Amino acid sequence: MKIYKALLLVFILLTACSKNKTTEIERSTIAVDIVSRDLESAMPGQLIRTENFILWTDPFNAENVVHVLDPVNGDDIKQFVSVGGGPYEFSTPQLMSYPDNCLYVYDLNADKQIVFSLDSVVQNKPGILKATTQSLKNITSIIPLNEQQFIYFNPAQKQPFTFVSKGQNDAFGKLPFPEEVDDSYACFQGQVMYHPKRECLVYTTFMFPYVAVYQKKKNSFDLYKELLSTDECSVSQGKLSYNKKERGAGDLALTSDYIVTLERDRKVDQTDEQTVGRDFTKLPHTVFLYDYDLNLVKILDLGMPILRLAASPQNNQLYAIGLNPDFVLITCEL
């Protein structure tokens, strides 16, 4: 009987140890190559990797908002897109990569969308392939899957995504919390990207660390997995409560094997996010690499404050805009 009790105690202790054991996340510093030092801007806006080019935007420049760079040598090949009220100008242009090395530009504050052929633009040829004037109230992101399929993101809706396919609109998805939030449009702003090979949609939030993956199934999307990486976030009486000293992903990029988020590694960097503002020296140095099952695989330190991320789903090469000491475009192989 004593032997049985002893064995039972050993079993309980082993089980407890097994349950308390956590997987150690790999942390390392990765060497980066500087692609360009010529990013002259008060604060670079978007960074996008298309099939043949790297694009970055200067939102504080009324003319030539978009810069087209050679991804190998960083040469600034072409600048285009202007801010204004003309037929081919935008008040608040937003960019998304479009199939066949094209660029989809839409306006957050005007009913205007244009598809540009980048191959034509860089050769100083007329690059406009298509122009539309669709109303997009409260739409903060548009993701073109192909010429006939789009995903719209509206964080003010309980089902924040709309899949548009051949003229048919189907709402899908969910907000991070089941409870109703008064100002969901502001609270659930974030990044949305689509991986064409994996046929999945990834959504991250800015205010708190949340990421969701939706899987495409024929003409619909199903929630595959979601991850809320904090216990300091809740909803009460329509108000979202969260730790304002921390933040969610500052940017998002999808590579062949990884969901890459710009996040602060709070085990080594306890910077209060409320103190960051426009002090770019306080930006996080780290990117978090998740697999597409939302397992955190590793945390990489890029060796400098990072503002923007971009990648191609075809490989594991990451591009980023960092501060060194001015804004630079860097790259590394994950």
Side-chain angles (χ1 to χ4, degrees):
M1 188 66 174
K2 290 182 179 179
I3 295 175
Y4 172 76
K5 289 182 177 179
L7 290 174
L8 181 61
L9 178 61
V10 170
F11 174 77
I12 292 172
L13 289 173
L14 288 174
T15 303
C17 290
S18 176
K19 286 184 179 179
N20 291 330
K21 184 179 179 181
T22 56
T23 303
E24 186 66 26
I25 303 301
E26 176 187 340
R27 287 173 166 84
S28 60
T29 299
I30 189 169
V32 301
D33 295 319
I34 295 180
V35 180
S36 175
R37 298 182 182 273
D38 298 327
L39 276 60
E40 297 182 7
S41 173
M43 184 180 72
Q46 292 180 270
L47 182 66
I48 293 179
R49 179 69 163 103
T50 67
E51 292 175 26
N52 297 336
F53 305 110
I54 287 284
L55 278 61
W56 71 275
T57 63
D58 183 359
F60 300 99
N61 193 352
E63 295 184 358
N64 298 326
V65 175
V66 180
H67 292 252
V68 184
L69 273 58
D70 185 313
V72 178
N73 55 33
D75 288 349
D76 199 324
I77 304 170
K78 180 69 178 178
Q79 308 87 42
F80 72 116
V81 176
S82 297
V83 172
Y88 303 121
E89 295 178 332
F90 301 84
S91 59
T92 46
Q94 294 292 298
L95 280 56
M96 286 299 294
S97 180
Y98 194 83
D100 299 325
N101 203 41
C102 293
L103 182 69
Y104 184 82
V105 184
Y106 60 99
D107 203 318
L108 289 176
N109 292 296
D111 301 334
K112 185 182 298 183
Q113 308 88 35
I114 297 179
V115 177
F116 292 93
S117 166
L118 292 175
D119 292 326
S120 296
V121 167
V122 297
Q123 296 178 38
N124 296 315
K125 297 178 180 178
I128 296 177
L129 298 180
K130 183 179 181 181
T132 56
T133 56
Q134 184 176 356
S135 177
L136 301 170
K137 184 180 179 181
N138 289 339
I139 301 296
T140 61
S141 295
I142 304 176
I143 301 91
L145 277 58
N146 51 53
E147 291 184 5
Q148 296 182 319
Q149 294 183 324
F150 294 80
I151 295 173
Y152 296 160
F153 174 60
N154 180 353
Q157 299 293 325
K158 288 185 178 180
Q159 288 186 294
F161 304 102
T162 300
F163 180 41
V164 180
S165 178
K166 300 178 181 179
Q168 181 176 344
N169 295 6
D170 294 306
F172 71 93
K174 60 184 284 292
L175 295 173
F177 301 97
E179 300 90 347
E180 189 169 323
V181 176
D182 293 340
D183 193 8
S184 65
Y185 181 80
C187 293
F188 301 131
Q189 296 275 357
Q191 295 277 18
V192 183
M193 290 189 176
Y194 180 73
H195 195 298
K197 279 194 171 183
R198 293 180 178 270
E199 294 190 310
C200 68
L201 184 77
V202 180
Y203 163 48
T204 59
T205 51
F206 292 134
M207 283 190 174
F208 52 92
Y210 172 84
V211 56
V213 177
Y214 290 84
Q215 190 64 51
K216 188 174 185 290
K217 294 184 178 179
K218 294 184 178 180
N219 287 322
S220 65
F221 283 83
D222 293 337
L223 178 63
Y224 173 60
K225 282 195 176 179
E226 60 182 334
L227 177 67
L228 179 64
S229 304
T230 179
D231 55 5
E232 298 183 85
C233 206
S234 61
V235 178
S236 177
Q237 297 181 339
K239 304 298 180 184
L240 175 66
S241 174
Y242 64 98
N243 186 351
K244 294 180 174 60
K245 293 183 179 180
E246 301 181 8
R247 285 289 187 270
D251 209 351
L252 169 70
L254 304 183
T255 74
S256 177
D257 297 321
Y258 302 112
I259 296 170
V260 186
T261 59
L262 177 58
E263 299 185 55
R264 194 179 303 279
D265 184 1
R266 304 205 68 82
K267 280 198 172 182
V268 297
D269 181 359
Q270 296 294 324
T271 300
D272 183 344
E273 299 292 354
Q274 297 175 109
T275 70
V276 176
R278 290 290 184 88
D279 186 351
F280 301 121
T281 63
K282 291 185 176 181
L283 290 170
H285 293 213
T286 47
V287 292
F288 285 35
L289 273 57
Y290 299 86
D291 62 24
Y292 284 85
D293 291 321
L294 291 186
N295 298 304
L296 179 57
V297 179
K298 56 181 118 175
I299 298 174
L300 298 179
D301 190 327
L302 301 188
M304 66 181 74
I306 301 299
L307 179 64
R308 308 290 182 219
L309 300 177
S312 166
Q314 306 295 328
N315 51 52
N316 287 322
Q317 187 170 18
L318 179 70
Y319 290 86
I321 293 178
L323 199 68
N324 188 37
D326 298 319
F327 290 117
V328 294
L329 176 64
I330 62 174
T331 188
C332 60
E333 186 71 25
L334 301 177

